[in-house]
């Protein structure tokens, strides 16, 4: 029961820890697809590309490329995608985990946990009801390896120690629970922003000198100054880091540093040397190409990059009052206390 | 009126000069009866420019009514966390509670350590989020205006297009906005019944309907008004108003006050394993 409960609630951090990086790779900063023909970049009143609107960054593209696809970065077409999935090897690390699918639909548990099927279609939260940008990518992480590089030994040690501690003390207190379960961060806000299991919805609003991004999970607003100011003092750490932006042509480039040390990116601890660069480029009436590079020389053996498209949706972004409705926290802890008394 | 009185005392061409002088003086020095007509700076699409980081500077978060200073609820915190006196922000000073609601407010105040949603890090709702002692930022887009609050990372999206209907009740409500001259008027509905107006237990029901008005009154100040309508709790509509001030620091920015961490002990501390086994996974 405990496992089921915890997996249900904590699937997000679990999913982050899944991919075991194998290959090294070089960061890729490819240019986004050229803008659609017969389409003119809409502009805000002060002449900047207008990125405003509500978007979904849900995708069927997995973060890490399934191993059996090797260095194949793109499918040739939809038929190739289907044919490739059919050839996926069965079993763990093969078919289920590796075949391209909605990351939303299946929880891949931590080692030793139970597999829980989180049926989002049951709640009208995901599955076929969600609009996704079409993509022939085989993985969000770009480059020949298509997965995050290995962590440095010290970072691996930190992750292992934290996991061991967590397993031994997971029900001791609210503070021992994963950040997502505590409604502090969902783990996908980033930067880099990653598709969430469900409610992969965000809204962009541009004011004079600022771009603001609200992500539904967990109603976090990132306000990015684009007025040329430097980063804030390094003493001030933030859950979503300290972002400043500038325009390079029609691309919004955002650099983020000063992360709260409890933040995890792709399973790796974020160090005080972490810098994430994001690029937002609107490529047609409905689509923004989102690219990112994670550079954290104290955690990763080399930087890595990723890319996906986010697609315009009608919205709205709902209010995700996670903490306010977090009955699960008290229920789980009191369940654990009751079990101890048995 | 001015003009006429001058005319009765002065004759001929002096009237013209007098009128001109009167107009000139009106333009420069406001009479006490007339608010200075501040011309708000505009965005490039011609709207009053409300972009900026704003904050109230008053005692409304302790009690929106006029109140004397009094000791805080935790005696060990002494003078540091006691309540400063405040002039109040309720127009007329009185909140027109129905009798049973007035009793509930008193009970809320008595039980505030258990009940105040601020203690639990719950989103502040509207209008309380506006005058909590944290800044908030207005990001004025073309179709939508976003208001992001430092406290609890709460955010509101104000739809400036054709009004839309809320899909569900929420903590920060559903906001449809429009311009009346330089004033941003926001109609806020579908607020839940779980937020308060202040730390004194002043409250509302889920029938709350708030109409907010944000009017620039100087380069660095807005006048804020909130008309409160809640027939389940109050005998009539009432209004609160206060100035909001721009944060003028050169590097002013909204920081994070993600307070969940600070409320976990008060919410879940009684469910800790005893004795405490070392530190949490994220400490």
């Amino acid at each position: 029961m405990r496992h089921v409960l915890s997996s249900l609630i904590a699937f997000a951090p679990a999913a982050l820890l899944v991919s075991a990086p194998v290959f090294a790779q070089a960061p890729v900063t490819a240019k986004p697809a050229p803008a659609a023909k017969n389409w003119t970049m809409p502009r805000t009143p002060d002449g900047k590309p207008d990125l405003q609107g509500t978007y979904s960054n849900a995708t069927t593209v997995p973060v890490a490329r399934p191993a059996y696809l090797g260095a194949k970065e793109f499918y040739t077409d939809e038929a190739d995608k289907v044919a490739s999935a059919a050839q996926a090897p069965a079993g763990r690390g093969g078919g289920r985990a590796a075949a391209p699918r909605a990351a939303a639909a299946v929880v891949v548990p931590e080692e030793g946990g139970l597999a829980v099927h989180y049926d989002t279609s049951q709640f009208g939260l995901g599955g076929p009801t969600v609009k996704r940008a079409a993509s022939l990518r085989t993985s969000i992480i770009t480059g020949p390896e298509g997965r995050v590089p290995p962590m440095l030994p010290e970072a691996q040690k930190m992750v292992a120690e934290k996991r061991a501690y967590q397993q031994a003390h997971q029900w001791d207190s609210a503070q021992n629970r994963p950040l997502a379960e505590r409604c502090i961060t969902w783990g996908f806000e980033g930067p880099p922003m990653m598709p969430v299991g469900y409610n992969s919805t965000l809204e962009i609003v541009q004011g004079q000198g600022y771009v603001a991004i609200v992500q539904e999970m967990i109603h976090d607003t990132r306000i990015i100054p684009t007025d040329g100011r430097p980063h804030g003092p390094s003493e001030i750490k933030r859950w979503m880091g300290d972002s400043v932006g500038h325009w390079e042509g029609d691309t919004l480039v955002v650099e983020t540093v000063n992360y709260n040390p409890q933040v995890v990116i792709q399973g790796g601890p974020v160090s005080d040397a972490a810098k994430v660069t994001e690029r937002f480029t609107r490529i047609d009436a409905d689509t923004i190409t989102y690219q990112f590079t994670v550079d954290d020389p104290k955690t990763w053996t080399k930087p890595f990059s990723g890319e996906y498209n986010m697609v315009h949706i009608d919205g709205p972004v709902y209010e995700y009052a996670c903490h306010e409705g977090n009955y699960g926290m008290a229920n789980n802890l009191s369940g654990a206390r009751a079990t101890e008394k048995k | 009126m001015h003009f006429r009185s001058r005319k009765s005392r002065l004759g001929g061409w002096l009237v013209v000069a007098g009128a001109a002088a009167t107009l000139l003086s009106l333009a420069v020095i406001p009479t006490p009866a007339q608010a200075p007509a501040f011309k708000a700076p505009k965005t490039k699409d011609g709207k009053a420019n409300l972009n900026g980081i704003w904050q109230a500077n008053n005692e409304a978060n302790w009690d929106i009514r006029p109140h004397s200073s009094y000791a805080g609820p935790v005696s060990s915190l002494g003078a540091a966390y006691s309540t400063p006196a405040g002039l109040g922000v309720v127009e007329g000073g009185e909140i027109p509670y129905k009798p049973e609601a007035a009793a509930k407010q008193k009970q809320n105040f008595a039980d505030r350590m258990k009940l105040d949603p601020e203690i639990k890090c719950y989103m502040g709702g509207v209008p309380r989020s506006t005058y909590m002692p944290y800044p908030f930022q207005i990001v004025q887009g073309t179709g939508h205006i976003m208001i992001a609050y430092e406290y609890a990372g709460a955010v509101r999206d104000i739809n400036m297009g054709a009004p839309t209907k809320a899909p569900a009740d929420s903590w920060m409500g559903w906001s449809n906005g429009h311009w009346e001259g330089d004033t941003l008027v926001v109609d806020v509905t579908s607020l839940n019944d779980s937020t308060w107006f202040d730390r004194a237990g002043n409250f509302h029901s889920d029938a709350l309907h708030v109409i907010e008005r944000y009017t620039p009154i100087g380069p660095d100040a807005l006048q804020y008004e909130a008309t409160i309508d809640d027939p389940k709790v109050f005998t009539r509509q009432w209004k609160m108003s206060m100035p909001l001030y721009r944060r003028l620091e050169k590097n002013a920015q909204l920081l994070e006050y993600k307070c969940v961490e600070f409320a976990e002990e008060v919410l879940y501390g009684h469910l800790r394993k005893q004795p405490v086994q070392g530190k949490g996974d994220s400490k």
Side-chain angles (χ1 to χ4, degrees), chain A residues 211-270:
Chain A
V211 177
I213 304 174
V214 173
Q215 296 178 77
E216 185 161 329
M217 312 290 276
I218 307 177
H219 69 73
D220 291 289
T221 315
R222 186 151 56 106
I223 298 182
I224 303 158
T226 55
D227 56 4
R229 71 176 68 189
H231 289 290
S234 60
E235 290 83 356
I236 302 176
K237 306 293 189 196
R238 309 184 204 185
W239 289 104
M240 290 188 293
D242 165 358
S243 295
V244 296
H246 65 275
W247 295 91
E248 287 181 10
D250 284 346
T251 296
L252 172 67
V253 181
V254 181
E255 291 190 351
T256 303
V257 297
N258 295 335
Y259 285 87
N260 182 310
Q262 299 174 61
V263 169
V264 168
I265 294 177
Q266 291 303 307
V270 171

Side-chain angles (χ1 to χ4, degrees), chain B residues 3-15:
Chain B
F3 188 84
R4 239 167 229 247
S5 67
R6 278 170 188 268
K7 194 177 181 182
S8 63
R9 279 184 277 128
L10 310 165
W13 58 270
L14 272 178
V15 171

Side-chain angles (χ1 to χ4, degrees), chain B residues 50 130 156 178-188 210-216 222-227 239-242 244:
Chain B
L50 307 185
T130 313
R156 292 166 65 194
H178 69 272
W179 293 98
E180 290 180 8
D182 284 348
T183 299
L184 171 66
V185 182
V186 188
D187 185 278
V188 195
V210 182
I211 296 172
E212 298 176 286
R213 298 175 66 88
Y214 299 81
T215 307
L222 303 174
Q223 185 67 19
Y224 177 76
E225 274 184 22
T227 303
K239 199 155 97 177
M240 66 170 76
S241 59
M242 68 193 78
L244 302 170

Side-chain angles (χ1 to χ4, degrees), chain A residues 165 175 182 220 262 319, chain B residues 171 258 271 279 281-282:
Chain A
Y165 178 84
Q175 290 86 341
R182 295 164 69 191
D220 291 289
Q262 299 174 61
E319 178 183 87
Chain B
W171 291 77
K258 281 176 82 76
L271 296 169
K279 17 178 219 173
D281 67 308
S282 53

Side-chain angles (χ1 to χ4, degrees), chain B residues 49-265:
Chain B
N49 188 349
L50 307 185
N51 282 296
I53 298 169
W54 305 95
Q55 192 166 342
N57 186 9
N58 59 36
E59 298 74 29
N61 192 49
W62 283 276
D63 192 335
I64 55 176
R65 302 162 303 182
H67 60 274
S68 307
S69 59
Y70 53 91
V74 183
S75 58
S76 58
L77 293 172
Y81 291 84
S82 287
T83 299
L87 290 166
V89 295
V90 178
E91 293 194 356
E94 285 268 326
I95 300 176
Y97 280 114
K98 291 179 166 180
E100 65 276 16
K104 185 175 173 186
Q105 181 272 322
K106 287 191 175 69
Q107 197 57 47
N108 283 347
F109 180 72
D111 294 341
R112 63 194 187 279
M113 292 282 283
K114 268 200 314 228
L115 297 179
D116 185 351
E118 183 187 1
I119 290 175
K120 302 175 187 178
C121 178
Y122 292 167
M123 285 184 262
V126 180
R128 188 177 183 182
S129 296
T130 313
Y131 48 81
M132 292 180 83
Y134 305 86
F136 64 89
Q137 182 159 0
I138 298 178
V139 180
Q140 194 171 331
T142 35
H144 291 253
I145 296 176
M146 197 179 278
I147 306 186
Y149 301 89
E150 188 163 299
Y151 173 81
V155 62
R156 292 166 65 194
D157 173 41
I158 300 168
N159 162 42
M160 297 300 289
T164 53
K165 228 184 132 200
D169 280 6
S170 60
W171 291 77
M172 299 305 290
W174 191 255
S175 296
N176 285 298
H178 69 272
W179 293 98
E180 290 180 8
D182 284 348
T183 299
L184 171 66
V185 182
V186 188
D187 185 278
V188 195
T189 55
S190 298
L191 292 149
N192 69 23
D193 63 358
S194 302
T195 63
W196 283 5
F197 289 112
D198 55 25
R199 292 177 181 168
N202 286 304
F203 75 104
H204 57 83
S205 78
D206 60 1
L208 177 64
H209 176 201
V210 182
I211 296 172
E212 298 176 286
R213 298 175 66 88
Y214 299 81
T215 307
I217 51 169
D220 300 315
L222 303 174
Q223 185 67 19
Y224 177 76
E225 274 184 22
T227 303
I228 309 295
D229 190 17
D230 184 344
K232 288 188 191 170
V233 176
F234 309 115
T235 57
R236 57 170 169 83
Q237 278 190 2
W238 54 280
K239 199 155 97 177
M240 66 170 76
S241 59
M242 68 193 78
L244 302 170
Y245 304 91
R246 188 189 299 280
R247 291 290 298 255
L248 287 169
E249 295 90 333
K250 262 195 188 141
N251 59 349
Q253 54 191 299
L254 215 59
L255 301 174
E256 279 179 347
Y257 192 73
K258 281 176 82 76
C259 47
V260 172
E261 283 185 286
F262 318 141
E264 282 175 325
E265 267 324 287

Side-chain angles (χ1 to χ4, degrees), chain A residues 117-333:
Chain A
H117 179 213
Y118 200 92
D119 185 359
T120 50
S121 64
Q122 201 178 333
F123 306 104
L125 293 169
T129 60
V130 172
K131 190 171 166 187
R132 300 181 171 90
S135 177
L136 292 172
R137 284 205 155 273
T138 56
S139 58
I140 290 177
I141 304 295
T142 52
E145 288 82 15
R147 51 185 57 217
V148 295
M151 265 181 245
L152 291 165
E154 309 88 86
Q156 288 183 29
K157 196 168 158 244
M158 273 177 71
V159 172
E161 283 173 1
K162 188 170 160 182
R163 192 177 298 175
Y165 178 84
Q166 219 168 346
Q167 278 173 357
H169 298 283
Q170 60 170 336
W171 298 108
D172 286 6
S173 72
Q175 290 86 341
N176 289 68
R177 304 306 304 150
L179 292 171
E181 204 176 307
R182 295 164 69 191
C183 294
I184 292 174
T185 77
W186 206 245
F188 295 83
E189 297 89 336
M193 304 189 297
M194 297 300 276
V196 196
Y198 52 85
N199 301 338
S200 285
T201 307
L202 56 103
E203 181 178 3
I204 301 177
V205 174
Q206 285 164 263
Q208 203 175 282
Y210 289 94
V211 177
I213 304 174
V214 173
Q215 296 178 77
E216 185 161 329
M217 312 290 276
I218 307 177
H219 69 73
D220 291 289
T221 315
R222 186 151 56 106
I223 298 182
I224 303 158
T226 55
D227 56 4
R229 71 176 68 189
H231 289 290
S234 60
E235 290 83 356
I236 302 176
K237 306 293 189 196
R238 309 184 204 185
W239 289 104
M240 290 188 293
D242 165 358
S243 295
V244 296
H246 65 275
W247 295 91
E248 287 181 10
D250 284 346
T251 296
L252 172 67
V253 181
V254 181
E255 291 190 351
T256 303
V257 297
N258 295 335
Y259 285 87
N260 182 310
Q262 299 174 61
V263 169
V264 168
I265 294 177
Q266 291 303 307
V270 171
S271 82
D272 56 3
K275 184 174 103 171
V276 171
T277 307
E278 301 162 281
R279 302 174 69 85
F280 297 75
T281 312
R282 190 164 175 179
I283 57 164
D284 62 32
D286 268 349
T287 317
I288 290 176
T289 294
Y290 176 73
Q291 299 168 300
F292 63 85
T293 297
V294 175
D295 185 3
D296 189 347
K298 292 186 183 172
T299 292
W300 302 99
T301 47
K302 54 159 73 175
F304 59 93
S305 299
E307 176 179 324
Y308 60 80
N309 285 343
M310 49 180 88
V311 62
H312 179 263
I313 55 172
D314 289 338
V317 172
Y318 290 87
E319 178 183 87
Y320 186 65
C322 180
H323 168 64
E324 291 80 355
N326 195 359
Y327 302 108
M329 178 61 81
N331 292 344
N332 285 343
L333 291 176

